Amino acid sequence: MSHGDPKKWYMPGWRIEQKYAPGVLIGNWGEERYKFDKGTNKHNSTHRTDFRNYGGYKPDVILRRQAMLRNEGLGKEQIFTHHGNRYSNNMISWYDEHYNNRERDVPDRLPALRAWDSHKLAWAPEKSDYPMQGQPTNFGLYGNLQDQWRKQLANETKGDYVTNYQSSYEPLPEESLRSTRYANPKALSSTLHPYNKINKDLNLRNVSVVKQPEVLAAVSVL
């Protein structure tokens, strides 16, 4: 086949197309391959076909618990709150305690010297086993982020017909409004003097002319 023959594009080996394969392993594919979605399969199984319901039979709770634990794992309630709300007030780190010189309360205070525990074979009490209880030091970062998020949400809900000038304009207080305006008399105004209207003449531009001052100097009369 010649090089310029158009039939070569319809033969294998000439035209190579990149296609997306649905079997690409992305994300948590290792965990999702063992996950079983209950009720999504429409096909029948040999167990469901051969099963006979004798009535009054109670399922094996231990076997179901083991299967649920194997498929779904432990929930966050069993991991974080198995001691109740014991760790809900444990929000102070060692850095916060030492850097900000935070003092412990009387029931939470540790002795100045530790003693050797022969049962644990360690010096007790260990400071890491008794963390400081209380709320962490708030530097205002979370509050500033909340204000920034509220402004962003408000700007997104304003609409498409809001200009940058309208969104950035800040109204001035009423005290800044001046109802009265003071100006120099026409006879004393240097801008209205006939000799100063020479800007139209190109030859006389940027030429210093004798101008009458806007504000007269206070001269004491003897």
Side-chain angles (χ1 to χ4, degrees):
M1 183 178 293
S2 62
H3 182 73
D5 193 351
K7 294 182 179 180
K8 68 179 181 180
W9 300 112
Y10 299 96
M11 299 181 63
W14 287 90
R15 188 176 183 181
I16 301 175
E17 295 182 356
Q18 296 181 359
K19 297 182 179 179
Y20 174 77
V24 177
L25 303 178
I26 59 176
N28 298 330
W29 61 272
E31 291 80 3
E32 293 176 356
R33 64 188 302 181
Y34 298 107
K35 185 178 180 180
F36 177 75
D37 297 331
K38 188 181 298 182
T40 57
N41 299 324
K42 303 297 182 181
H43 57 271
N44 213 345
S45 63
T46 56
H47 176 74
R48 190 181 293 110
T49 305
D50 300 336
F51 175 74
R52 295 181 181 180
N53 189 4
Y54 295 99
Y57 173 76
K58 295 182 180 180
D60 190 356
V61 183
I62 298 177
L63 185 61
R64 295 179 64 182
R65 187 186 298 115
Q66 293 177 355
M68 183 176 179
L69 182 62
R70 182 174 60 254
N71 295 332
E72 300 181 4
L74 286 175
K76 63 178 182 179
E77 294 81 7
Q78 284 78 19
I79 299 177
F80 298 103
T81 59
H82 57 279
H83 288 298
N85 296 329
R86 183 178 178 181
Y87 304 107
S88 61
N89 202 28
N90 185 12
M91 299 295 177
I92 302 177
S93 61
W94 279 12
Y95 178 81
D96 189 3
E97 182 180 354
H98 289 280
Y99 186 79
N100 298 316
N101 296 327
R102 300 190 60 169
E103 296 183 0
R104 293 172 175 259
D105 297 334
V106 177
D108 195 25
R109 193 168 298 171
L110 298 177
L113 297 177
R114 297 185 298 174
W116 178 258
D117 192 348
S118 59
H119 297 282
K120 299 180 180 179
L121 298 178
W123 293 96
E126 185 66 31
K127 192 174 183 180
S128 59
D129 297 337
Y130 301 92
M132 188 174 180
Q133 303 295 323
Q135 296 297 327
T137 303
N138 188 10
F139 296 98
L141 178 61
Y142 182 65
N144 294 335
L145 288 176
Q146 283 185 331
D147 296 339
Q148 182 180 357
W149 295 334
R150 293 193 194 97
K151 292 180 181 179
Q152 291 178 357
L153 184 60
N155 292 332
E156 291 176 358
T157 56
K158 282 182 179 180
D160 299 334
Y161 299 98
V162 179
T163 60
N164 293 333
Y165 177 79
Q166 291 178 344
S167 59
S168 61
Y169 174 76
E170 296 182 0
L172 299 176
E174 297 181 356
E175 294 79 9
S176 61
L177 178 63
R178 300 297 179 182
S179 58
T180 57
R181 184 175 182 273
Y182 300 94
N184 293 329
K186 183 177 180 180
L188 300 178
S189 178
S190 60
T191 57
L192 297 178
H193 200 274
Y195 292 101
N196 294 329
K197 295 181 180 180
I198 57 179
N199 199 24
K200 294 181 179 180
D201 195 345
L202 297 178
N203 298 324
L204 296 178
R205 280 189 179 182
N206 300 326
V207 177
S208 59
V209 214
V210 179
K211 293 185 178 181
Q212 199 169 9
E214 294 280 350
V215 180
L216 298 178
V219 180
S220 58
V221 179
L222 300 177

